[in-house]
């Protein structure tokens, strides 16, 4: 569990006194992870600070087999603490998108468990999933906007899980939601585009609409499925900085699938890596040495830069 130690400023952590039963190492207790760090940025108790952080998401032995026998995920297990920025890496076809889409059940898992704040998503009914998805934002590689609709209408789609479905058919939203949508567009720097059609925007602007839409859900977690794969490097950093800002200022947990290790090192607290559907690495970005790089990307792969 030592690999979970990351920047305390980026986690909702609670300092507490060290109970006797936790003096000789790490322990689990009803979903909490206790660990000791040096008192460099938090209140110390007799020279020792103990933080506890809630495991928001647990992936247990997750398997997905598509029609035709293709195994996209093969017995994948890992935990995600509340407030972490987790990068999911691997080659195209390694299972990254399948993993993220299984978490909110856009794709149905074949086997295994997905525990969200202790609740088994894999067993949730349709009504329960509607409630759960309210708090799980999604950002897509291809933006998934209604191109002929206005930007603000696309952003308001993030409130569909909260309002009467009949209102959404009439494209009617409460005044508070309209005001909230404008604020989210201001946050991502495109409030002036609110009344333009989505297909009139550049790729980077469309992805910012996607982020604003996710923020409308008041999410506890955002699943970002290769959000910068269609963008050039300058725009990629712009989008990643918005996700970083949401993580740091709002405490929203981020799971972000990425191709490029420079982005992983710049933005992620922790990394999980997939290869042919199997989990081949879980740890800190700095722990990806040359051997682990080849385990993830193949023996013929070479680092760039």
């Amino acid at each position: 569990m030592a690999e979970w130690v990351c920047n305390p400023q980026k986690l909702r952590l609670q300092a507490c006194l060290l109970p006797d039963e936790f003096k000789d190492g790490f322990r689990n207790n009803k979903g909490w992870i206790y660990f000791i760090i040096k008192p460099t940025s938090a209140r110390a108790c007799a020279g020792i600070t103990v933080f506890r952080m809630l495991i928001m998401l647990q992936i247990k032995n997750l398997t997905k087999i598509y029609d035709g026998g293709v195994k996209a995920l093969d017995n994948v297990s890992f935990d995600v603490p509340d407030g972490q920025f987790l990068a999911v890496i691997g080659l195209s076809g390694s299972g990254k998108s399948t993993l993220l889409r299984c978490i909110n059940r856009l794709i149905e898992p074949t086997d295994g468990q997905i525990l969200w704040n202790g609740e088994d998503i894999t067993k949730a009914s349709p009504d329960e999933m509607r409630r759960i998805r309210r708090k799980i934002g999604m950002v897509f590689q291809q933006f998934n906007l209604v191109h002929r609709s206005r930007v603000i209408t696309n952003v308001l789609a993030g409130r569909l899980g909260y309002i009467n479905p009949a209102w959404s058919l009439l494209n009617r939203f409460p005044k508070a939601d309209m005001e909230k949508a404008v604020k989210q567009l201001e946050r991502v720097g495109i409030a002036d585009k609110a009344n333009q059609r989505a297909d009139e925007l550049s790729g980077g602007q469309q992805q910012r609409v996607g982020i604003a839409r996710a923020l409308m859900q008041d999410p506890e977690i955002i699943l970002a499925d290769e959000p910068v794969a269609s963008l050039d490097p300058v725009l990629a950093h712009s989008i990643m900085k918005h996700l970083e800002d949401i993580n740091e200022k709002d405490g929203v947990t981020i799971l972000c699938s990425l191709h490029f290790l420079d982005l992983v090192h710049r933005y992620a607290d922790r990394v999980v890596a997939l290869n042919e559907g199997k989990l081949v690495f879980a740890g800190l970005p700095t722990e990806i040495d040359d051997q682990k790089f080849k385990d993830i990307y193949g023996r013929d792969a070479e680092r760039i830069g």
Side-chain angles (χ1 to χ4, degrees):
M1 298 179 186
E3 72 269 15
W4 287 0
V5 176
C6 55
N7 179 3
Q9 299 295 337
K10 295 182 68 174
L11 295 172
R12 293 193 291 258
L13 300 175
Q14 179 177 338
C16 57
L17 293 174
L18 180 62
D20 290 340
E21 61 266 37
F22 298 118
K23 282 185 177 178
D24 53 340
F26 301 97
R27 294 288 189 274
N28 283 323
N29 183 29
K30 296 181 181 179
W32 290 96
I33 300 302
Y34 288 79
F35 61 96
I36 304 169
I37 66 171
K38 294 179 180 179
T40 56
S41 58
R43 179 171 55 85
C45 301
I48 295 176
T49 299
V50 178
F51 290 99
R52 64 178 188 175
M53 58 183 174
L54 182 65
I55 302 175
M56 171 180 281
L57 183 68
Q58 292 177 280
I59 309 297
K60 294 187 174 184
N61 309 116
L62 190 65
T63 297
K64 174 60 183 179
I65 303 173
Y66 287 108
D67 294 342
V70 176
K71 187 175 283 190
L73 295 174
D74 188 358
N75 201 39
V76 172
S77 298
F78 61 90
D79 295 342
V80 184
D82 185 17
Q84 192 168 76
F85 195 124
L86 177 71
V88 182
I89 64 173
L91 292 170
S92 295
S94 62
K96 302 187 301 296
S97 293
T98 298
L99 172 63
L100 295 184
R101 290 165 184 259
C102 280
I103 290 172
N104 63 4
R105 278 181 53 190
L106 291 179
I107 293 175
E108 291 292 336
T110 303
D111 199 8
Q113 286 184 300
I114 303 166
L115 300 179
W116 159 261
N117 290 329
E119 184 174 3
D120 192 346
I121 290 178
T122 54
K123 295 181 179 178
S125 67
D127 285 344
E128 289 169 337
M129 276 309 304
R130 186 172 186 266
R131 172 181 53 80
I132 291 168
R133 285 189 181 123
R134 289 175 180 174
K135 293 298 184 179
I136 304 179
M138 188 88 185
V139 177
F140 300 88
Q141 177 181 346
Q142 298 300 331
F143 320 135
N144 280 30
L145 304 180
V146 180
H147 290 158
R148 300 180 68 176
S149 292
R150 293 185 305 158
V151 165
I152 196 162
T153 303
N154 277 279
V155 174
L156 284 163
R159 298 301 295 173
L160 292 178
Y162 291 89
I163 67 171
N164 187 317
W167 285 24
S168 65
L169 292 174
L170 298 172
N171 200 24
R172 293 179 60 188
F173 292 86
K175 182 180 178 181
D177 287 349
M178 296 291 293
E179 294 172 349
K180 184 182 182 73
V182 172
K183 288 181 180 179
Q184 300 306 342
L185 287 171
E186 288 174 349
R187 181 170 183 176
V188 297
I190 53 171
D192 59 320
K193 309 294 185 183
N195 291 311
Q196 290 185 220
R197 281 178 33 150
D199 57 5
E200 296 175 351
L201 273 56
S202 68
Q205 290 170 336
Q206 289 190 46
Q207 192 58 287
R208 283 188 270 174
V209 175
I211 292 172
R213 177 181 58 197
L215 286 171
M216 288 294 289
Q217 297 177 229
D218 296 322
E220 294 180 16
I221 186 170
I222 289 178
L223 309 174
D225 186 8
E226 301 196 21
V228 299
S230 302
L231 306 176
D232 64 41
V234 174
L235 290 176
H237 278 286
S238 172
I239 295 302
M240 292 300 297
K241 286 176 181 176
H242 283 301
L243 293 175
E244 181 182 50
D245 181 74
I246 294 164
N247 175 243
E248 292 183 341
K249 293 183 179 178
D250 300 9
V252 175
T253 304
I254 306 287
L255 268 68
C256 182
S257 61
L258 293 166
H259 275 296
F260 300 110
L261 279 179
D262 62 329
L263 296 178
V264 173
H265 284 280
R266 168 64 179 81
Y267 296 102
D269 298 321
R270 188 166 169 262
V271 184
V272 296
L274 300 174
N275 188 322
E276 296 184 347
K278 292 183 172 65
L279 185 72
V280 295
F281 176 79
L284 301 175
T286 54
E287 294 173 339
I288 303 177
D289 57 20
D290 289 342
Q291 182 56 54
K292 289 185 174 68
F293 179 83
K294 291 184 180 295
D295 291 342
I296 296 166
Y297 292 105
R299 64 179 185 175
D300 296 326
E302 294 184 8
R303 292 177 183 263
I304 299 175

